[in-house]
Amino acid sequence: MTETPEPLPIEFRARRLKPVLSTLGCLAALWMLWRYYNDHVSGEIMKDMCLVVFLIILLGIAAFAINASRPRLICALTEEGLRIGPRPPIPWRDIAGVKVFPYRMPFVGILLKDPEAFLAPLSSVAQQAARMTLQRIGTPVVIQPEAAGISAEYLAEVIEEVRKERAG
């Protein structure tokens, strides 16, 4: 690559196929339970209790479907830096490089100039998880591009190209 493939911001989002299939599966299971309910449940109180349970399950499935319809952000390349999920962006000047880790499901590691500065503002739980990742592979920041349907190599190439342009 010699140029950024498109103007910033560039966003990579998770695909929606799995949540859609999960929602359809839940609706099919609910339909099967409803058929069983109509054929085998007797007594007015039991029918009312089952109806309430079905409505609660249906609301849960609707909430899941609504949430799943908005694909989650894997990462975004912005003018300010690299944003992973809901966190604020990591400034381009703080990124030393990008590396592909070719495991069973390859992922992209973001090599930081000062990992401790990245860890400091995190919550204690997030900090602990990031420290474990830092100890195991040498960086606290990793991206799993599989959910977005792109290869780790492509994502690493795009991030590295933008990093070189912005960190200059």
Side-chain angles (χ1 to χ4, degrees):
M1 287 177 86
T2 58
E3 293 182 19
T4 303
E6 53 190 273
L8 297 181
I10 302 171
E11 291 187 348
F12 296 97
R13 294 188 172 272
R15 293 178 294 183
R16 291 188 266 183
L17 183 60
K18 287 181 183 178
V20 168
L21 292 177
S22 297
T23 301
L24 292 175
C26 289
L27 289 172
L30 187 63
W31 178 77
M32 290 168 50
L33 284 171
W34 183 258
R35 296 284 312 257
Y36 179 84
Y37 160 80
N38 282 332
D39 294 342
H40 296 91
V41 174
S42 60
E44 205 58 39
I45 293 175
M46 279 301 290
K47 284 192 179 258
D48 289 345
M49 285 176 33
C50 286
L51 187 59
V52 168
V53 169
F54 282 124
L55 289 175
I56 290 171
I57 292 172
L58 191 58
L59 285 173
I61 292 172
F64 175 79
I66 290 168
N67 191 32
S69 70
R70 289 174 273 154
R72 72 179 172 84
L73 180 68
I74 303 295
C75 70
L77 289 67
T78 67
E79 293 291 337
E80 297 81 38
L82 175 65
R83 188 163 54 102
I84 301 169
R87 291 189 204 131
I90 302 167
W92 294 114
R93 67 182 177 281
D94 294 348
I95 300 174
V98 181
K99 181 179 178 184
V100 174
F101 291 87
Y103 294 112
R104 189 172 57 89
M105 290 185 67
F107 60 90
V108 177
I110 307 301
L111 308 173
L112 302 175
K113 293 178 181 173
D114 185 6
E116 290 302 319
F118 172 79
L119 294 170
L122 298 179
S123 70
S124 61
V125 173
Q127 206 175 74
Q128 186 177 13
R131 280 191 194 286
M132 286 176 52
T133 306
L134 177 62
Q135 289 172 350
R136 287 189 178 151
I137 63 170
T139 179
V141 183
V142 295
I143 304 170
Q144 301 250 328
E146 178 72 21
I150 57 173
S151 72
E153 292 78 14
Y154 173 74
L155 181 60
E157 186 179 323
V158 171
I159 293 171
E160 185 63 19
E161 186 71 28
V162 174
R163 182 192 72 80
K164 285 179 180 175
E165 287 177 12
R166 298 297 184 259

